[in-house]
Amino acid sequence: MPDESAHKLMIRNAVREGMIAARRNAWPALLLMIAASLLVAAYYNLPGVRLALERVVQLREKMGLVYPMLSTAFFGGLLPVIMRRFHLGIKEALSGVVFYLLFWAEKGIEIDLFYRLQDWMWGSDNDWQTLLAKMCFDQFVYSVLIAAPTMTLAYLWKDAGFKVGGVRVALSEKSLLARILTVQLSGWAVWIPGVLIIYAFPQPLQLPLNNLILTLWVMLLILLTRAKTGDSARPSTPASVSSERDIDPV
């Protein structure tokens, strides 16, 4: 384990990395938020859009928890693998594909249940006080204590060849706290405004909008990665806890 001075330096470096990543994420995040905001406005003002999205709600109700499991596994797990393969030429091993599918399937159920909890805690109104309360609990409680730590550890385990010993080695080089700080600070640039928009939707449509933001985020990052060379030129993802070649959303 690093000594106290080394640990403090590690934390400072993690904060700096997270802030740099957040700045890289700012413009892509702004484009995403504009697109998501337009969808929310269309839902409340255009009957055709509302009808189409209500069909998604009906499908979700019919499938139960199978819907968030399958949809999030596809948008958060399989889609990035496919796009990396065909747009960046990065081929994922079968074990990696299975990992992504299972991890994001579990996350889909977890997020769906969390959105239901938020409705139970704060109500289903979309006034600014309710949206602010949900955003704060989402980003400063759930994300900090559950989402970022579990994602960080899971991706470290995957990158260590699914060996616990490899995770220990990685954490001896850079602490869990430092890694979480980097992930969380970069993620806030996207998900603080993102969840405000998500919670403006009725609860049954919040997970589909979450999946849509994931999809657009992955596509945008891969297009930017193709267009620019060098890590300093590309925006960083909220889940940049695995290898440099990985592009994964939160």
Side-chain angles (χ1 to χ4, degrees), residues 132-197:
L132 183 62
K134 289 182 175 180
M135 182 277 289
C136 289
F137 191 75
D138 186 309
Q139 289 300 293
F140 302 115
V141 179
Y142 166 71
S143 185
V144 171
L145 298 180
I146 298 176
T150 56
M151 177 169 288
T152 300
L153 288 172
Y155 275 60
L156 280 178
W157 180 58
K158 182 257 181 187
D159 287 343
F162 305 103
K163 296 178 181 178
V164 176
V167 176
R168 292 197 188 100
V169 171
L171 292 179
S172 68
E173 297 170 352
K174 185 177 181 180
S175 71
L176 179 61
L177 176 59
R179 293 175 185 274
I180 291 172
L181 277 172
T182 301
V183 171
Q184 192 64 76
L185 289 171
S186 63
W188 277 335
V190 178
W191 291 106
I192 285 180
V195 297
L196 282 171
I197 298 171

Side-chain angles (χ1 to χ4, degrees), residues 49-63:
V49 174
R50 190 183 188 96
L51 179 61
L53 292 175
E54 289 298 333
R55 290 174 181 168
V56 175
V57 173
Q58 293 171 8
L59 177 63
R60 180 182 179 277
E61 291 176 348
K62 185 180 297 184
M63 296 179 67

